[in-house]
PDB file of all heavy atoms in Angstrom:
ATOM      1  N   LEU B 285     -31.695  -2.891 -24.797  1.00  0.00           N
ATOM      2  CA  LEU B 285     -30.751  -1.881 -24.321  1.00  0.00           C
ATOM      3  C   LEU B 285     -30.201  -2.253 -22.947  1.00  0.00           C
ATOM      4  O   LEU B 285     -28.988  -2.193 -22.697  1.00  0.00           O
ATOM      5  CB  LEU B 285     -31.458  -0.524 -24.258  1.00  0.00           C
ATOM      6  CG  LEU B 285     -30.665   0.665 -23.744  1.00  0.00           C
ATOM      7  CD1 LEU B 285     -29.454   0.907 -24.621  1.00  0.00           C
ATOM      8  CD2 LEU B 285     -31.539   1.909 -23.701  1.00  0.00           C
ATOM      9  N   GLY B 286     -31.103  -2.671 -22.058  1.00  0.00           N
ATOM     10  CA  GLY B 286     -30.693  -3.078 -20.712  1.00  0.00           C
ATOM     11  C   GLY B 286     -29.713  -4.225 -20.770  1.00  0.00           C
ATOM     12  O   GLY B 286     -28.708  -4.241 -20.044  1.00  0.00           O
ATOM     13  N   LEU B 287     -29.983  -5.195 -21.659  1.00  0.00           N
ATOM     14  CA  LEU B 287     -29.101  -6.362 -21.761  1.00  0.00           C
ATOM     15  C   LEU B 287     -27.701  -5.956 -22.227  1.00  0.00           C
ATOM     16  O   LEU B 287     -26.700  -6.425 -21.676  1.00  0.00           O
ATOM     17  CB  LEU B 287     -29.691  -7.382 -22.742  1.00  0.00           C
ATOM     18  CG  LEU B 287     -30.721  -8.330 -22.132  1.00  0.00           C
ATOM     19  CD1 LEU B 287     -31.276  -9.272 -23.204  1.00  0.00           C
ATOM     20  CD2 LEU B 287     -30.098  -9.144 -20.997  1.00  0.00           C
ATOM     21  N   VAL B 288     -27.649  -5.096 -23.245  1.00  0.00           N
ATOM     22  CA  VAL B 288     -26.338  -4.679 -23.759  1.00  0.00           C
ATOM     23  C   VAL B 288     -25.537  -3.975 -22.656  1.00  0.00           C
ATOM     24  O   VAL B 288     -24.370  -4.276 -22.418  1.00  0.00           O
ATOM     25  CB  VAL B 288     -26.491  -3.751 -24.980  1.00  0.00           C
ATOM     26  CG1 VAL B 288     -25.143  -3.183 -25.386  1.00  0.00           C
ATOM     27  CG2 VAL B 288     -27.117  -4.498 -26.152  1.00  0.00           C
ATOM     28  N   ALA B 289     -26.199  -3.019 -21.956  1.00  0.00           N
ATOM     29  CA  ALA B 289     -25.517  -2.270 -20.904  1.00  0.00           C
ATOM     30  C   ALA B 289     -25.059  -3.197 -19.783  1.00  0.00           C
ATOM     31  O   ALA B 289     -23.911  -3.126 -19.316  1.00  0.00           O
ATOM     32  CB  ALA B 289     -26.442  -1.188 -20.347  1.00  0.00           C
ATOM     33  N   TRP B 290     -25.953  -4.099 -19.373  1.00  0.00           N
ATOM     34  CA  TRP B 290     -25.621  -5.004 -18.286  1.00  0.00           C
ATOM     35  C   TRP B 290     -24.485  -5.937 -18.708  1.00  0.00           C
ATOM     36  O   TRP B 290     -23.564  -6.204 -17.931  1.00  0.00           O
ATOM     37  CB  TRP B 290     -26.859  -5.816 -17.894  1.00  0.00           C
ATOM     38  CG  TRP B 290     -26.558  -6.893 -16.917  1.00  0.00           C
ATOM     39  CD1 TRP B 290     -26.388  -6.755 -15.575  1.00  0.00           C
ATOM     40  CD2 TRP B 290     -26.345  -8.275 -17.214  1.00  0.00           C
ATOM     41  NE1 TRP B 290     -26.075  -7.962 -15.021  1.00  0.00           N
ATOM     42  CE2 TRP B 290     -26.039  -8.918 -16.002  1.00  0.00           C
ATOM     43  CE3 TRP B 290     -26.376  -9.040 -18.394  1.00  0.00           C
ATOM     44  CZ2 TRP B 290     -25.778 -10.276 -15.918  1.00  0.00           C
ATOM     45  CZ3 TRP B 290     -26.110 -10.388 -18.317  1.00  0.00           C
ATOM     46  CH2 TRP B 290     -25.819 -10.996 -17.092  1.00  0.00           C
ATOM     47  N   ALA B 291     -24.545  -6.417 -19.965  1.00  0.00           N
ATOM     48  CA  ALA B 291     -23.509  -7.342 -20.434  1.00  0.00           C
ATOM     49  C   ALA B 291     -22.139  -6.668 -20.449  1.00  0.00           C
ATOM     50  O   ALA B 291     -21.129  -7.272 -20.062  1.00  0.00           O
ATOM     51  CB  ALA B 291     -23.859  -7.847 -21.836  1.00  0.00           C
ATOM     52  N   ALA B 292     -22.106  -5.393 -20.871  1.00  0.00           N
ATOM     53  CA  ALA B 292     -20.823  -4.682 -20.895  1.00  0.00           C
ATOM     54  C   ALA B 292     -20.218  -4.625 -19.498  1.00  0.00           C
ATOM     55  O   ALA B 292     -19.027  -4.885 -19.301  1.00  0.00           O
ATOM     56  CB  ALA B 292     -21.014  -3.270 -21.450  1.00  0.00           C
ATOM     57  N   LEU B 293     -21.063  -4.308 -18.506  1.00  0.00           N
ATOM     58  CA  LEU B 293     -20.561  -4.196 -17.141  1.00  0.00           C
ATOM     59  C   LEU B 293     -20.173  -5.548 -16.575  1.00  0.00           C
ATOM     60  O   LEU B 293     -19.150  -5.700 -15.910  1.00  0.00           O
ATOM     61  CB  LEU B 293     -21.609  -3.527 -16.254  1.00  0.00           C
ATOM     62  CG  LEU B 293     -21.868  -2.065 -16.607  1.00  0.00           C
ATOM     63  CD1 LEU B 293     -23.090  -1.543 -15.870  1.00  0.00           C
ATOM     64  CD2 LEU B 293     -20.653  -1.235 -16.241  1.00  0.00           C
ATOM     65  N   ALA B 294     -20.991  -6.571 -16.858  1.00  0.00           N
ATOM     66  CA  ALA B 294     -20.691  -7.913 -16.342  1.00  0.00           C
ATOM     67  C   ALA B 294     -19.380  -8.426 -16.933  1.00  0.00           C
ATOM     68  O   ALA B 294     -18.549  -9.000 -16.238  1.00  0.00           O
ATOM     69  CB  ALA B 294     -21.840  -8.869 -16.674  1.00  0.00           C
ATOM     70  N   LEU B 295     -19.207  -8.173 -18.218  1.00  0.00           N
ATOM     71  CA  LEU B 295     -17.989  -8.612 -18.895  1.00  0.00           C
ATOM     72  C   LEU B 295     -16.768  -7.927 -18.263  1.00  0.00           C
ATOM     73  O   LEU B 295     -15.761  -8.570 -17.967  1.00  0.00           O
ATOM     74  CB  LEU B 295     -18.089  -8.221 -20.371  1.00  0.00           C
ATOM     75  CG  LEU B 295     -17.375  -9.123 -21.365  1.00  0.00           C
ATOM     76  CD1 LEU B 295     -18.015 -10.495 -21.363  1.00  0.00           C
ATOM     77  CD2 LEU B 295     -17.457  -8.520 -22.768  1.00  0.00           C
ATOM     78  N   ALA B 296     -16.895  -6.616 -18.038  1.00  0.00           N
ATOM     79  CA  ALA B 296     -15.797  -5.866 -17.437  1.00  0.00           C
ATOM     80  C   ALA B 296     -15.478  -6.413 -16.056  1.00  0.00           C
ATOM     81  O   ALA B 296     -14.318  -6.536 -15.666  1.00  0.00           O
ATOM     82  CB  ALA B 296     -16.156  -4.391 -17.340  1.00  0.00           C
ATOM     83  N   ARG B 297     -16.523  -6.744 -15.316  1.00  0.00           N
ATOM     84  CA  ARG B 297     -16.296  -7.219 -13.962  1.00  0.00           C
ATOM     85  C   ARG B 297     -15.596  -8.569 -13.964  1.00  0.00           C
ATOM     86  O   ARG B 297     -14.737  -8.831 -13.141  1.00  0.00           O
ATOM     87  CB  ARG B 297     -17.618  -7.328 -13.225  1.00  0.00           C
ATOM     88  CG  ARG B 297     -17.428  -7.437 -11.764  1.00  0.00           C
ATOM     89  CD  ARG B 297     -18.630  -6.982 -11.017  1.00  0.00           C
ATOM     90  NE  ARG B 297     -19.829  -7.388 -11.748  1.00  0.00           N
ATOM     91  CZ  ARG B 297     -21.026  -7.376 -11.210  1.00  0.00           C
ATOM     92  NH1 ARG B 297     -21.175  -6.990  -9.970  1.00  0.00           N
ATOM     93  NH2 ARG B 297     -22.068  -7.742 -11.904  1.00  0.00           N
TER      94      ARG B 297
END
Side-chain angles (χ1 to χ4, degrees):
Chain B
L285 178 60
L287 276 178
V288 173
W290 172 79
L293 293 169
L295 210 65
R297 196 156 37 165

